[in-house]
Amino acid sequence: MPETSLIFPAKEYRGRVARVQAAMAATEAEALLLTMPEDIFYITGFLTRFWESPARPWFVIVPATGDPVAVIPAIGVDLMSRTWITHIRSWPAPDPRDDGVSLLAGTLCDLVPENGTIATPMGAETHLHAPLGHYDAVKRHLGQRRIIDGTHLIQSVREIKSEAEIAKIRETCGIADRAYARVPEFAREGAPLDQVFRNFQIALLQEGADWVSYVAGGAGQGGYTDVISPAAAQPLQAGDILMLDTGAVKDGYFCDFDRNFAIGTPTDAVRRAQEALWQATQSVLQTLRPGHVACDVHRMLDDALRASGATTGGGRLGHGLGIALTEWPSFTPLDTTLLRAGMVLTLEPGVDLGQGRILVHEENIVLREDGPELLSTRAPQEMVIL
Amino acid sequence: MPETSLIFPAKEYRGRVARVQAAMAATEAEALLLTMPEDIFYITGFLTRFWESPARPWFVIVPATGDPVAVIPAIGVDLMSRTWITHIRSWPAPDPRDDGVSLLAGTLCDLVPENGTIATPMGAETHLHAPLGHYDAVKRHLGQRRIIDGTHLIQSVREIKSEAEIAKIRETCGIADRAYARVPEFAREGAPLDQVFRNFQIALLQEGADWVSYVAGGAGQGGYTDVISPAAAQPLQAGDILMLDTGAVKDGYFCDFDRNFAIGTPTDAVRRAQEALWQATQSVLQTLRPGHVACDVHRMLDDALRASGATTGGGRLGHGLGIALTEWPSFTPLDTTLLRAGMVLTLEPGVDLGQGRILVHEENIVLREDGPELLSTRAPQEMVIL
């Protein structure tokens, strides 16, 4: 068993903690309590598929100064001790009498003075990854200490990726690129859609994914109607447009982009939509810069699509990406998040083809000082015909 | 696109709701608010990998009488309308101004009288799958309505599987059985462990898994030390014991069992541990009955292992299984959950081989009136040698 389980050198994680602590210094918070797997992975490097089990809560506390403290089930101590974290407190979870409540409360009391303030994420794209009743019980142990929203303390740091992180996401995008190139091997007229989904996941694993957290897509005559359902067994037919979308994972880092394929010659309507989507994306690749805000991207894509005569639908047209399939911000008309160099983003314009049919086009980029750099290999301008 | 996305006939879901409502009738709750993907899937049949995105919260409310109401992001309306649910309210999520808060609060106020009571899961194995700040905002809209813990309202129903559910879990176990039978094709001396993990996932997909939510395991000389880490690239060596564990998914239903393999002839210590684990499991398969409680299973396994001279470790020795990789109860010395016919469970005894090395053995069963029925094909009594 390797001595370290870390993907990056310890200094990468120390830098993250320093940035969280710098953000914390501008607030009244004396500690940041994290419960979500992504946040715990980000701070500690603790990577496991064991999060899939909802049986046990996990906690990491970043104090205003000094190293983080992990308060975790005993089953995780061995792996946590092979990260850079040295302050580890554990209990024999699951324990129906006291499932970490006293240990977490005691740790918070050790780290935060009476009348002090604890932050924890409470905003959009977060959730309390622990039982609500246990959280209320912890609060009752905290005396005069207050709990405030700490969403921005972690999100403002996580949203800027280091070069090491960008390299990881590029690697995962490369895995998906190679898997998409192999779609013609298994997707053709007559192939059942559920089998296409299975074969695509197999291709992703063969090309180097550690696991495949997300595959979605759809197929339908002249466009698909739904992109979040599991695949049915219906065979692909001539005239179908097939879309595959994936969040494969390598070393804990995701890609998230799709590709479209035509089963036989696509209709003129599909060709025009494809061209509009490709060109709209192209215009953002050329003009997006740090200093734009999230809603600017929505407007740029929407304007370009309308200018080409396409009908746009509702919904967001892209989002952040990294250690989760989707991260903030959202490219909607309402999101005013400042876009900064180092953000990894998806550009995901969609076109409404009528009768509920849509076409969606997606690329992954990192925003640099001089504009977007592609992490996915640019989709072909004309749709691949199978 | 199929008209229904349901895996079971609507009456299956209506029966679930009726049982939740019967449980609710014994409490003061006038509605049960659900936020976790598993609970929403259980009540509505809404199955998607889109849960992987943490961007949007989803809500389902089961009123004391009448059909459930889904309060969901617009992107889910098409798929939800192809379940049996007809009361669907949606908003254009993500919306930074009001991300479903008013809609959820308004719906709760429609369904629950002033001074009424709303239940939501707050106990072990649950979490609030929505932003804590939004939950607090919803509470402020509820006037005199109270929120109480509703964990048992859903858990006491979910824990008893219907025959249709048992058939699904058996099918997923069969997929894993066939994949385990193929491990000798790709696991041998010199094969890197991470590649073995990938090939095992490929085998699961080839044998019919829709996706593979969980693969873990380990390999080490005379036993493994850690069963929750991702696989490193270290090659398997003669003398290693390889363990693979999986939660594959078919139609939303999981299996969760492991298998052990020896790279070359195992040591006598490993052989004795394997025999102790196999016999301990055998004794529970013969003697477990409805009416036992969860801690009885821990004691039965622990007693059998000690009687054979094995050293047992801490931790739980099995748990529930179904639409999540792990469900309640836990086979620990402290869990007094009554075991009832229709529960699907894992038996997972482990032996401590010294120097941090362990051996873990796992089967999946359904508890019948006359005792356990295996859902996994019984592990061979002697460890398979690769």
CSV table of all heavy atoms in Angstrom, one decimal, chain B residues 151-206:
chain,number,residue,atom,x,y,z
B,151,THR,N,-37.8,10.6,9.9
B,151,THR,CA,-36.9,9.6,9.4
B,151,THR,C,-37.6,8.2,9.3
B,151,THR,O,-37.6,7.6,8.3
B,151,THR,CB,-35.7,9.4,10.3
B,151,THR,OG1,-35.0,10.7,10.4
B,151,THR,CG2,-34.7,8.4,9.8
B,152,HIS,N,-38.3,7.9,10.4
B,152,HIS,CA,-38.9,6.5,10.4
B,152,HIS,C,-40.1,6.4,9.5
B,152,HIS,O,-40.4,5.3,9.1
B,152,HIS,CB,-39.4,6.1,11.9
B,152,HIS,CG,-40.6,6.9,12.3
B,152,HIS,ND1,-40.5,8.2,12.6
B,152,HIS,CD2,-41.9,6.5,12.4
B,152,HIS,CE1,-41.7,8.7,13.0
B,152,HIS,NE2,-42.6,7.7,12.9
B,153,LEU,N,-40.7,7.5,9.1
B,153,LEU,CA,-41.9,7.4,8.2
B,153,LEU,C,-41.4,6.9,6.8
B,153,LEU,O,-42.2,6.2,6.2
B,153,LEU,CB,-42.5,8.8,8.0
B,153,LEU,CG,-43.0,9.5,9.2
B,153,LEU,CD1,-43.6,10.9,8.9
B,153,LEU,CD2,-44.1,8.6,9.9
B,154,ILE,N,-40.3,7.2,6.4
B,154,ILE,CA,-39.8,6.7,5.1
B,154,ILE,C,-38.9,5.4,5.3
B,154,ILE,O,-39.1,4.4,4.6
B,154,ILE,CB,-39.1,7.8,4.3
B,154,ILE,CG1,-38.7,7.3,2.9
B,154,ILE,CG2,-37.8,8.3,5.0
B,154,ILE,CD1,-39.8,7.3,1.9
B,155,GLN,N,-38.1,5.4,6.4
B,155,GLN,CA,-37.2,4.3,6.5
B,155,GLN,C,-38.0,3.0,6.9
B,155,GLN,O,-37.6,1.9,6.4
B,155,GLN,CB,-36.1,4.6,7.6
B,155,GLN,CG,-35.1,5.6,7.1
B,155,GLN,CD,-33.9,5.7,8.0
B,155,GLN,OE1,-33.9,5.2,9.1
B,155,GLN,NE2,-32.8,6.4,7.5
B,156,SER,N,-39.0,3.1,7.7
B,156,SER,CA,-39.7,1.9,8.1
B,156,SER,C,-40.5,1.3,6.9
B,156,SER,O,-40.8,0.1,6.9
B,156,SER,CB,-40.7,2.2,9.2
B,156,SER,OG,-41.7,3.1,8.7
B,157,VAL,N,-40.7,2.1,5.9
B,157,VAL,CA,-41.4,1.6,4.6
B,157,VAL,C,-40.3,1.1,3.7
B,157,VAL,O,-40.4,-0.1,3.2
B,157,VAL,CB,-42.3,2.7,4.0
B,157,VAL,CG1,-42.8,2.2,2.7
B,157,VAL,CG2,-43.4,3.1,5.0
B,158,ARG,N,-39.3,1.9,3.4
B,158,ARG,CA,-38.3,1.5,2.4
B,158,ARG,C,-37.6,0.2,2.8
B,158,ARG,O,-37.1,-0.5,2.0
B,158,ARG,CB,-37.2,2.6,2.3
B,158,ARG,CG,-37.5,3.5,1.1
B,158,ARG,CD,-36.4,4.6,1.0
B,158,ARG,NE,-35.1,4.0,0.8
B,158,ARG,CZ,-33.9,4.7,0.9
B,158,ARG,NH1,-33.9,6.0,1.1
B,158,ARG,NH2,-32.8,4.1,0.7
B,159,GLU,N,-37.5,-0.1,4.1
B,159,GLU,CA,-36.6,-1.2,4.6
B,159,GLU,C,-37.3,-2.6,4.3
B,159,GLU,O,-36.6,-3.6,4.2
B,159,GLU,CB,-36.3,-1.1,6.1
B,159,GLU,CG,-37.4,-1.3,7.0
B,159,GLU,CD,-37.1,-1.0,8.5
B,159,GLU,OE1,-36.0,-0.4,8.7
B,159,GLU,OE2,-37.8,-1.5,9.3
B,160,ILE,N,-38.6,-2.6,4.0
B,160,ILE,CA,-39.2,-3.8,3.6
B,160,ILE,C,-39.4,-3.8,2.1
B,160,ILE,O,-40.1,-3.0,1.5
B,160,ILE,CB,-40.6,-4.0,4.3
B,160,ILE,CG1,-40.5,-3.9,5.8
B,160,ILE,CG2,-41.3,-5.3,3.8
B,160,ILE,CD1,-39.6,-4.9,6.4
B,161,LYS,N,-38.7,-4.7,1.4
B,161,LYS,CA,-38.7,-4.7,-0.1
B,161,LYS,C,-39.9,-5.6,-0.6
B,161,LYS,O,-40.2,-6.6,0.0
B,161,LYS,CB,-37.4,-5.3,-0.6
B,161,LYS,CG,-36.3,-4.2,-0.8
B,161,LYS,CD,-35.9,-3.5,0.4
B,161,LYS,CE,-34.8,-2.5,0.1
B,161,LYS,NZ,-34.4,-1.8,1.3
B,162,SER,N,-40.5,-5.1,-1.6
B,162,SER,CA,-41.6,-5.8,-2.3
B,162,SER,C,-40.9,-7.0,-3.1
B,162,SER,O,-39.7,-6.9,-3.4
B,162,SER,CB,-42.4,-4.9,-3.2
B,162,SER,OG,-41.5,-4.6,-4.3
B,163,GLU,N,-41.7,-7.9,-3.6
B,163,GLU,CA,-41.2,-9.0,-4.4
B,163,GLU,C,-40.6,-8.4,-5.7
B,163,GLU,O,-39.6,-8.9,-6.2
B,163,GLU,CB,-42.2,-10.0,-4.7
B,163,GLU,CG,-42.6,-10.9,-3.5
B,163,GLU,CD,-41.5,-11.6,-2.8
B,163,GLU,OE1,-40.5,-12.1,-3.5
B,163,GLU,OE2,-41.5,-11.6,-1.6
B,164,ALA,N,-41.2,-7.4,-6.2
B,164,ALA,CA,-40.6,-6.7,-7.4
B,164,ALA,C,-39.3,-6.1,-7.2
B,164,ALA,O,-38.3,-6.2,-8.0
B,164,ALA,CB,-41.6,-5.6,-7.9
B,165,GLU,N,-39.1,-5.5,-6.0
B,165,GLU,CA,-37.8,-5.0,-5.6
B,165,GLU,C,-36.8,-6.1,-5.4
B,165,GLU,O,-35.6,-6.0,-5.8
B,165,GLU,CB,-37.9,-4.1,-4.4
B,165,GLU,CG,-38.7,-2.9,-4.5
B,165,GLU,CD,-38.6,-2.0,-3.3
B,165,GLU,OE1,-39.3,-2.3,-2.3
B,165,GLU,OE2,-37.8,-1.0,-3.3
B,166,ILE,N,-37.2,-7.1,-4.7
B,166,ILE,CA,-36.3,-8.3,-4.5
B,166,ILE,C,-35.8,-8.9,-5.8
B,166,ILE,O,-34.6,-9.2,-5.9
B,166,ILE,CB,-37.0,-9.3,-3.6
B,166,ILE,CG1,-37.2,-8.7,-2.2
B,166,ILE,CG2,-36.1,-10.6,-3.5
B,166,ILE,CD1,-38.2,-9.5,-1.3
B,167,ALA,N,-36.7,-9.0,-6.8
B,167,ALA,CA,-36.3,-9.5,-8.1
B,167,ALA,C,-35.3,-8.6,-8.7
B,167,ALA,O,-34.3,-9.1,-9.4
B,167,ALA,CB,-37.5,-9.6,-9.0
B,168,LYS,N,-35.4,-7.3,-8.6
B,168,LYS,CA,-34.4,-6.4,-9.2
B,168,LYS,C,-33.1,-6.5,-8.5
B,168,LYS,O,-32.0,-6.5,-9.2
B,168,LYS,CB,-34.9,-4.9,-9.0
B,168,LYS,CG,-36.0,-4.5,-9.9
B,168,LYS,CD,-35.5,-4.5,-11.4
B,168,LYS,CE,-36.7,-4.2,-12.4
B,168,LYS,NZ,-36.3,-4.5,-13.8
B,169,ILE,N,-33.1,-6.6,-7.2
B,169,ILE,CA,-31.8,-6.8,-6.5
B,169,ILE,C,-31.1,-8.1,-6.8
B,169,ILE,O,-29.9,-8.2,-7.0
B,169,ILE,CB,-32.0,-6.6,-4.9
B,169,ILE,CG1,-32.6,-5.3,-4.6
B,169,ILE,CG2,-30.6,-6.8,-4.2
B,169,ILE,CD1,-33.1,-5.1,-3.2
B,170,ARG,N,-32.0,-9.2,-7.0
B,170,ARG,CA,-31.4,-10.5,-7.4
B,170,ARG,C,-30.8,-10.4,-8.7
B,170,ARG,O,-29.7,-10.9,-9.0
B,170,ARG,CB,-32.5,-11.5,-7.4
B,170,ARG,CG,-32.0,-12.9,-7.7
B,170,ARG,CD,-33.1,-13.9,-7.8
B,170,ARG,NE,-33.7,-14.2,-6.5
B,170,ARG,CZ,-35.0,-13.9,-6.1
B,170,ARG,NH1,-35.8,-13.2,-7.0
B,170,ARG,NH2,-35.5,-14.2,-4.9
B,171,GLU,N,-31.4,-9.6,-9.6
B,171,GLU,CA,-30.9,-9.4,-11.0
B,171,GLU,C,-29.5,-8.7,-10.9
B,171,GLU,O,-28.6,-9.1,-11.6
B,171,GLU,CB,-31.9,-8.6,-11.8
B,171,GLU,CG,-31.5,-8.5,-13.3
B,171,GLU,CD,-32.5,-7.6,-14.1
B,171,GLU,OE1,-33.6,-7.3,-13.5
B,171,GLU,OE2,-32.2,-7.3,-15.2
B,172,THR,N,-29.4,-7.7,-10.1
B,172,THR,CA,-28.1,-7.0,-10.0
B,172,THR,C,-27.1,-7.9,-9.4
B,172,THR,O,-25.9,-7.9,-9.8
B,172,THR,CB,-28.3,-5.7,-9.2
B,172,THR,OG1,-29.4,-4.9,-9.7
B,172,THR,CG2,-27.0,-4.8,-9.3
B,173,CYS,N,-27.5,-8.7,-8.4
B,173,CYS,CA,-26.5,-9.6,-7.8
B,173,CYS,C,-26.0,-10.6,-8.9
B,173,CYS,O,-24.9,-11.0,-8.9
B,173,CYS,CB,-27.2,-10.4,-6.6
B,173,CYS,SG,-27.4,-9.4,-5.1
B,174,GLY,N,-26.9,-11.0,-9.7
B,174,GLY,CA,-26.6,-11.9,-10.8
B,174,GLY,C,-25.5,-11.3,-11.7
B,174,GLY,O,-24.6,-12.0,-12.2
B,175,ILE,N,-25.7,-10.1,-12.0
B,175,ILE,CA,-24.7,-9.4,-12.9
B,175,ILE,C,-23.3,-9.4,-12.2
B,175,ILE,O,-22.3,-9.7,-12.8
B,175,ILE,CB,-25.2,-7.9,-13.1
B,175,ILE,CG1,-26.4,-7.9,-14.0
B,175,ILE,CG2,-24.1,-7.0,-13.6
B,175,ILE,CD1,-27.2,-6.6,-14.1
B,176,ALA,N,-23.3,-9.1,-10.9
B,176,ALA,CA,-22.0,-9.1,-10.2
B,176,ALA,C,-21.5,-10.6,-10.1
B,176,ALA,O,-20.3,-10.8,-10.3
B,176,ALA,CB,-22.2,-8.5,-8.8
B,177,ASP,N,-22.4,-11.6,-9.9
B,177,ASP,CA,-21.9,-13.0,-9.9
B,177,ASP,C,-21.1,-13.3,-11.1
B,177,ASP,O,-20.1,-13.9,-11.1
B,177,ASP,CB,-23.1,-13.9,-9.8
B,177,ASP,CG,-23.7,-14.1,-8.4
B,177,ASP,OD1,-22.9,-14.0,-7.4
B,177,ASP,OD2,-24.9,-14.3,-8.3
B,178,ARG,N,-21.7,-12.9,-12.3
B,178,ARG,CA,-21.1,-13.2,-13.6
B,178,ARG,C,-19.8,-12.5,-13.8
B,178,ARG,O,-18.8,-13.0,-14.3
B,178,ARG,CB,-22.1,-12.9,-14.7
B,178,ARG,CG,-23.3,-13.8,-14.7
B,178,ARG,CD,-24.1,-13.7,-16.0
B,178,ARG,NE,-24.7,-12.4,-16.3
B,178,ARG,CZ,-25.9,-12.0,-15.8
B,178,ARG,NH1,-26.6,-12.7,-14.9
B,178,ARG,NH2,-26.3,-10.8,-16.1
B,179,ALA,N,-19.8,-11.2,-13.3
B,179,ALA,CA,-18.5,-10.4,-13.4
B,179,ALA,C,-17.4,-11.0,-12.5
B,179,ALA,O,-16.3,-11.1,-12.9
B,179,ALA,CB,-18.8,-9.0,-13.0
B,180,TYR,N,-17.8,-11.5,-11.3
B,180,TYR,CA,-16.8,-12.1,-10.4
B,180,TYR,C,-16.2,-13.4,-11.0
B,180,TYR,O,-15.1,-13.7,-10.9
B,180,TYR,CB,-17.4,-12.4,-9.0
B,180,TYR,CG,-17.5,-11.2,-8.1
B,180,TYR,CD1,-18.7,-10.8,-7.6
B,180,TYR,CD2,-16.3,-10.5,-7.8
B,180,TYR,CE1,-18.8,-9.7,-6.7
B,180,TYR,CE2,-16.4,-9.4,-6.9
B,180,TYR,CZ,-17.6,-9.0,-6.4
B,180,TYR,OH,-17.7,-7.9,-5.6
B,181,ALA,N,-17.1,-14.1,-11.7
B,181,ALA,CA,-16.7,-15.4,-12.3
B,181,ALA,C,-15.6,-15.1,-13.4
B,181,ALA,O,-14.8,-16.0,-13.8
B,181,ALA,CB,-17.8,-16.1,-12.9
B,182,ARG,N,-15.6,-13.9,-13.9
B,182,ARG,CA,-14.6,-13.5,-15.0
B,182,ARG,C,-13.4,-12.8,-14.5
B,182,ARG,O,-12.5,-12.5,-15.3
B,182,ARG,CB,-15.3,-12.6,-16.0
B,182,ARG,CG,-16.4,-13.3,-16.8
B,182,ARG,CD,-17.1,-12.4,-17.8
B,182,ARG,NE,-16.2,-11.6,-18.5
B,182,ARG,CZ,-16.5,-10.5,-19.2
B,182,ARG,NH1,-17.8,-10.1,-19.2
B,182,ARG,NH2,-15.6,-9.9,-19.9
B,183,VAL,N,-13.2,-12.7,-13.1
B,183,VAL,CA,-12.0,-12.0,-12.6
B,183,VAL,C,-10.7,-12.8,-13.0
B,183,VAL,O,-9.7,-12.1,-13.3
B,183,VAL,CB,-12.2,-11.9,-11.1
B,183,VAL,CG1,-10.8,-11.5,-10.4
B,183,VAL,CG2,-13.2,-10.8,-10.7
B,184,PRO,N,-10.7,-14.1,-13.1
B,184,PRO,CA,-9.5,-14.8,-13.5
B,184,PRO,C,-9.1,-14.4,-14.9
B,184,PRO,O,-7.9,-14.6,-15.3
B,184,PRO,CB,-9.9,-16.3,-13.5
B,184,PRO,CG,-11.0,-16.3,-12.4
B,184,PRO,CD,-11.8,-15.1,-12.6
B,185,GLU,N,-10.0,-13.8,-15.7
B,185,GLU,CA,-9.6,-13.4,-17.1
B,185,GLU,C,-8.6,-12.2,-17.0
B,185,GLU,O,-7.8,-12.0,-18.0
B,185,GLU,CB,-10.8,-12.9,-17.9
B,185,GLU,CG,-11.8,-14.0,-18.2
B,185,GLU,CD,-13.1,-13.5,-18.9
B,185,GLU,OE1,-13.0,-12.3,-19.4
B,185,GLU,OE2,-14.1,-14.2,-18.9
B,186,PHE,N,-8.7,-11.4,-16.0
B,186,PHE,CA,-7.9,-10.1,-16.0
B,186,PHE,C,-7.1,-9.9,-14.7
B,186,PHE,O,-6.2,-9.0,-14.7
B,186,PHE,CB,-8.7,-8.9,-16.3
B,186,PHE,CG,-10.0,-8.8,-15.5
B,186,PHE,CD1,-9.9,-8.3,-14.2
B,186,PHE,CD2,-11.2,-9.2,-16.0
B,186,PHE,CE1,-11.0,-8.2,-13.4
B,186,PHE,CE2,-12.4,-9.1,-15.2
B,186,PHE,CZ,-12.3,-8.6,-13.9
B,187,ALA,N,-7.3,-10.7,-13.7
B,187,ALA,CA,-6.5,-10.5,-12.5
B,187,ALA,C,-5.5,-11.6,-12.3
B,187,ALA,O,-5.9,-12.8,-12.2
B,187,ALA,CB,-7.4,-10.4,-11.3
B,188,ARG,N,-4.2,-11.3,-12.4
B,188,ARG,CA,-3.2,-12.3,-12.2
B,188,ARG,C,-1.9,-11.6,-11.8
B,188,ARG,O,-1.9,-10.4,-11.8
B,188,ARG,CB,-3.0,-13.0,-13.6
B,188,ARG,CG,-2.5,-12.1,-14.7
B,188,ARG,CD,-2.3,-12.9,-16.0
B,188,ARG,NE,-3.5,-13.6,-16.5
B,188,ARG,CZ,-4.4,-12.9,-17.3
B,188,ARG,NH1,-4.2,-11.7,-17.7
B,188,ARG,NH2,-5.5,-13.5,-17.7
B,189,GLU,N,-0.9,-12.4,-11.4
B,189,GLU,CA,0.3,-11.8,-11.0
B,189,GLU,C,0.8,-10.8,-12.1
B,189,GLU,O,0.9,-11.2,-13.3
B,189,GLU,CB,1.3,-12.9,-10.8
B,189,GLU,CG,2.6,-12.5,-10.0
B,189,GLU,CD,3.6,-13.6,-9.8
B,189,GLU,OE1,3.1,-14.8,-9.8
B,189,GLU,OE2,4.8,-13.4,-9.5
B,190,GLY,N,1.2,-9.6,-11.6
B,190,GLY,CA,1.8,-8.6,-12.6
B,190,GLY,C,0.7,-7.6,-13.0
B,190,GLY,O,1.1,-6.6,-13.5
B,191,ALA,N,-0.6,-8.0,-12.9
B,191,ALA,CA,-1.6,-7.0,-13.4
B,191,ALA,C,-1.7,-5.8,-12.4
B,191,ALA,O,-1.8,-6.1,-11.2
B,191,ALA,CB,-2.9,-7.7,-13.5
B,192,PRO,N,-1.6,-4.6,-12.9
B,192,PRO,CA,-1.7,-3.5,-11.9
B,192,PRO,C,-3.1,-3.4,-11.3
B,192,PRO,O,-4.1,-3.6,-12.0
B,192,PRO,CB,-1.5,-2.2,-12.8
B,192,PRO,CG,-0.9,-2.8,-14.1
B,192,PRO,CD,-1.4,-4.2,-14.2
B,193,LEU,N,-3.2,-3.1,-10.0
B,193,LEU,CA,-4.5,-3.1,-9.3
B,193,LEU,C,-5.5,-2.2,-10.0
B,193,LEU,O,-6.7,-2.5,-10.1
B,193,LEU,CB,-4.3,-2.8,-7.9
B,193,LEU,CG,-5.5,-3.0,-7.0
B,193,LEU,CD1,-6.0,-4.4,-7.0
B,193,LEU,CD2,-5.2,-2.5,-5.5
B,194,ASP,N,-5.0,-1.0,-10.4
B,194,ASP,CA,-6.0,0.0,-11.0
B,194,ASP,C,-6.6,-0.6,-12.3
B,194,ASP,O,-7.7,-0.3,-12.6
B,194,ASP,CB,-5.4,1.4,-11.1
B,194,ASP,CG,-4.2,1.4,-12.0
B,194,ASP,OD1,-3.6,0.4,-12.4
B,194,ASP,OD2,-3.7,2.5,-12.4
B,195,GLN,N,-5.8,-1.3,-13.0
B,195,GLN,CA,-6.3,-1.9,-14.2
B,195,GLN,C,-7.3,-3.0,-13.9
B,195,GLN,O,-8.3,-3.2,-14.6
B,195,GLN,CB,-5.1,-2.4,-15.1
B,195,GLN,CG,-5.4,-2.4,-16.6
B,195,GLN,CD,-6.0,-1.1,-17.1
B,195,GLN,OE1,-5.4,-0.1,-16.9
B,195,GLN,NE2,-7.1,-1.2,-17.8
B,196,VAL,N,-7.0,-3.8,-12.9
B,196,VAL,CA,-8.0,-4.8,-12.4
B,196,VAL,C,-9.3,-4.1,-12.1
B,196,VAL,O,-10.4,-4.6,-12.4
B,196,VAL,CB,-7.4,-5.6,-11.2
B,196,VAL,CG1,-8.5,-6.5,-10.6
B,196,VAL,CG2,-6.2,-6.4,-11.6
B,197,PHE,N,-9.3,-3.0,-11.3
B,197,PHE,CA,-10.5,-2.3,-11.0
B,197,PHE,C,-11.2,-1.9,-12.3
B,197,PHE,O,-12.5,-2.0,-12.4
B,197,PHE,CB,-10.2,-1.1,-10.1
B,197,PHE,CG,-10.1,-1.3,-8.7
B,197,PHE,CD1,-9.5,-2.5,-8.2
B,197,PHE,CD2,-10.6,-0.4,-7.7
B,197,PHE,CE1,-9.4,-2.7,-6.8
B,197,PHE,CE2,-10.5,-0.6,-6.4
B,197,PHE,CZ,-9.9,-1.8,-5.9
B,198,ARG,N,-10.5,-1.4,-13.3
B,198,ARG,CA,-11.2,-0.9,-14.5
B,198,ARG,C,-11.8,-2.1,-15.2
B,198,ARG,O,-12.9,-2.1,-15.7
B,198,ARG,CB,-10.1,-0.3,-15.4
B,198,ARG,CG,-9.8,1.1,-15.1
B,198,ARG,CD,-9.1,1.9,-16.2
B,198,ARG,NE,-8.7,3.1,-15.6
B,198,ARG,CZ,-7.5,3.3,-15.1
B,198,ARG,NH1,-6.5,2.4,-15.1
B,198,ARG,NH2,-7.2,4.4,-14.5
B,199,ASN,N,-11.0,-3.2,-15.3
B,199,ASN,CA,-11.5,-4.4,-16.0
B,199,ASN,C,-12.7,-5.0,-15.3
B,199,ASN,O,-13.6,-5.5,-16.0
B,199,ASN,CB,-10.4,-5.4,-16.2
B,199,ASN,CG,-9.5,-5.1,-17.3
B,199,ASN,OD1,-9.9,-4.5,-18.4
B,199,ASN,ND2,-8.2,-5.3,-17.1
B,200,PHE,N,-12.7,-4.9,-14.0
B,200,PHE,CA,-13.9,-5.4,-13.3
B,200,PHE,C,-15.1,-4.6,-13.6
B,200,PHE,O,-16.2,-5.1,-13.8
B,200,PHE,CB,-13.6,-5.4,-11.8
B,200,PHE,CG,-14.7,-6.0,-10.9
B,200,PHE,CD1,-15.2,-7.2,-11.2
B,200,PHE,CD2,-15.1,-5.3,-9.8
B,200,PHE,CE1,-16.3,-7.7,-10.4
B,200,PHE,CE2,-16.2,-5.8,-9.0
B,200,PHE,CZ,-16.7,-7.0,-9.3
B,201,GLN,N,-15.0,-3.3,-13.6
B,201,GLN,CA,-16.1,-2.4,-14.0
B,201,GLN,C,-16.6,-2.7,-15.4
B,201,GLN,O,-17.8,-2.7,-15.7
B,201,GLN,CB,-15.7,-0.9,-13.8
B,201,GLN,CG,-15.4,-0.5,-12.4
B,201,GLN,CD,-15.0,0.9,-12.2
B,201,GLN,OE1,-15.8,1.8,-12.2
B,201,GLN,NE2,-13.7,1.1,-12.2
B,202,ILE,N,-15.6,-2.9,-16.3
B,202,ILE,CA,-16.0,-3.3,-17.7
B,202,ILE,C,-16.8,-4.6,-17.7
B,202,ILE,O,-17.8,-4.7,-18.4
B,202,ILE,CB,-14.7,-3.4,-18.6
B,202,ILE,CG1,-14.1,-2.0,-18.8
B,202,ILE,CG2,-15.0,-4.1,-19.9
B,202,ILE,CD1,-12.8,-2.0,-19.4
B,203,ALA,N,-16.3,-5.6,-16.9
B,203,ALA,CA,-17.1,-6.8,-16.9
B,203,ALA,C,-18.5,-6.6,-16.3
B,203,ALA,O,-19.4,-7.2,-16.8
B,203,ALA,CB,-16.3,-7.8,-16.0
B,204,LEU,N,-18.6,-5.8,-15.3
B,204,LEU,CA,-20.0,-5.5,-14.8
B,204,LEU,C,-20.9,-4.9,-15.8
B,204,LEU,O,-22.1,-5.3,-15.9
B,204,LEU,CB,-19.9,-4.6,-13.5
B,204,LEU,CG,-19.3,-5.2,-12.3
B,204,LEU,CD1,-18.8,-4.2,-11.3
B,204,LEU,CD2,-20.3,-6.1,-11.6
B,205,LEU,N,-20.4,-4.0,-16.6
B,205,LEU,CA,-21.2,-3.4,-17.7
B,205,LEU,C,-21.5,-4.4,-18.7
B,205,LEU,O,-22.6,-4.5,-19.2
B,205,LEU,CB,-20.4,-2.2,-18.3
B,205,LEU,CG,-20.3,-1.0,-17.3
B,205,LEU,CD1,-19.2,0.0,-17.8
B,205,LEU,CD2,-21.6,-0.2,-17.3
B,206,GLN,N,-20.5,-5.2,-19.1
B,206,GLN,CA,-20.8,-6.2,-20.1
B,206,GLN,C,-21.8,-7.2,-19.7
B,206,GLN,O,-22.5,-7.8,-20.5
B,206,GLN,CB,-19.4,-6.9,-20.5
B,206,GLN,CG,-18.5,-6.0,-21.3
B,206,GLN,CD,-17.1,-6.6,-21.5
B,206,GLN,OE1,-16.7,-7.5,-20.7
B,206,GLN,NE2,-16.4,-6.2,-22.5
